[in-house]
Amino acid sequence: MPATNEQQNIAKAFLAARQKKTPLTLYPGTMPASMAEAYAIQDAAIAFDGRRVGGWKVGRIATELVGTYGDNRLTGPIFSDEIFDGSAGQRPAMPVYADGFAAVEAEVLLRLGDVGTRDHDMDSVKDCIIEVRTGIEIASSPFPAINQHGPAVTASDYGNNKGLILGPAIPGWREADLIRMPVEFFVDDAPVGAATMETMLDGPFGSALFLIRTLRARGIAITPGTWVSTGAITGIHEIRPGQRGDALFGGEIRVGCAITG
């Protein structure tokens, strides 16, 4: 759906707050009540922003809210200039909104090739994937309460995304038991979460199916090479400038980041 004048103004307010790194103490307009309204704001912001989208984050919608919002996931853009390589053990410096919301999430990253026009299922979508990596999503917004008003508000500000770290690849991912791979997260070397992908609805490939369906419905082309950050595995771990985050996959694959303001 095309954005209304008010929705365009909301998009401009979020974009200005991100560019100037100024906090938004209040939501800059009428909060979206549906995912369609949220994506109208998001699409307007992407157009006003003008940067190239290199990937998409996918997040879970709480079970008790699925009936209200009509889906179990949401998505937001990840801009190419905010995607960094951390596969050689380096910790990229990742800026966040210090006076807003900031968190880190351990995620499995899928790189899509040509998705074509067919309707995919859990098996065929794997044929569209050309690479699987470990990674960390940076979740940050100038609106501190972004996650307190439901998934439509979260989606309206780029899905609460502020960047992505590409970790080492997962070798033999087609044969690997990804769903049961243990994942841990540490902030300043202190453990803050541990889980497997069994908690992620139908897992990372289900996130890819959701993204393909949702972007097609929005009329957004999926360029080969697009990254999909498939959802938080160990939780959403709040973090602040000066701290470090590290994710450990399968007890041996590590990816990290350093948080800046």
Side-chain angles (χ1 to χ4, degrees):
M1 59 182 286
T4 64
N5 287 338
E6 183 183 16
Q7 289 168 341
Q8 290 183 41
N9 288 335
I10 292 170
K12 289 177 181 177
F14 270 119
L15 184 56
R18 282 176 170 259
Q19 291 175 338
K20 297 176 183 177
K21 296 187 176 181
T22 54
L24 291 169
T25 55
L26 298 173
Y27 192 85
T30 302
M31 292 185 180
S34 68
M35 298 312 296
E37 292 176 6
Y39 290 140
I41 296 169
Q42 188 185 111
D43 288 345
I46 293 170
F48 292 138
D49 192 309
R51 288 179 294 166
R52 188 172 77 85
V53 174
W56 295 85
K57 64 84 57 74
V58 176
R60 182 173 184 170
I61 292 176
T63 302
E64 65 272 17
L65 297 177
V66 169
T68 300
Y69 291 95
D71 218 328
N72 59 8
R73 288 179 168 100
L74 62 86
T75 188
I78 307 172
F79 293 98
S80 295
D81 63 350
E82 295 183 331
I83 300 177
F84 295 90
D85 191 357
S87 61
Q90 64 271 50
R91 283 196 180 94
M94 303 298 291
V96 299
Y97 300 103
D99 295 321
F101 177 87
V104 283
E105 303 171 11
E107 311 219 359
V108 163
L109 315 179
L110 311 178
R111 193 179 185 202
L112 298 177
D114 183 5
V115 302
T117 59
R118 64 169 291 185
D119 291 330
H120 290 286
D121 57 25
M122 199 69 77
D123 289 325
S124 69
V125 77
K126 294 180 182 179
D127 294 331
C128 302
I129 296 167
I130 56 178
E131 189 176 7
V132 177
R133 290 206 198 188
T134 57
I136 295 175
E137 184 203 345
I138 306 299
S140 191
S141 168
F143 181 43
I146 188 166
N147 285 342
Q148 299 175 19
H149 299 282
V153 167
T154 300
S156 70
D157 183 28
Y158 292 158
N160 195 16
N161 179 264
K162 189 63 177 75
L164 189 67
I165 300 102
L166 308 177
I170 298 177
W173 62 267
R174 289 184 181 274
E175 294 74 37
D177 189 3
L178 286 183
I179 293 295
R180 294 178 177 81
M181 175 185 286
V183 182
E184 302 167 81
F185 207 95
F186 305 84
V187 173
D188 289 344
D189 298 324
V192 294
T196 68
M197 283 167 262
E198 293 173 291
T199 62
M200 293 175 56
L201 299 173
D202 48 4
F205 303 114
S207 292
L209 287 175
F210 160 82
L211 183 68
I212 292 169
R213 169 174 56 81
T214 302
L215 294 186
R216 282 175 175 172
R218 291 166 62 183
I220 297 174
I222 302 173
T223 305
T226 294
W227 288 100
V228 186
S229 192
T230 59
I233 302 169
T234 63
I236 301 169
H237 310 298
E238 293 196 32
I239 201 164
R240 61 183 182 273
Q243 293 187 304
R244 293 175 287 106
D246 291 275
L248 185 64
F249 292 77
E252 56 185 17
I253 304 174
R254 183 177 292 271
V255 56
C257 61
I259 302 300
T260 64

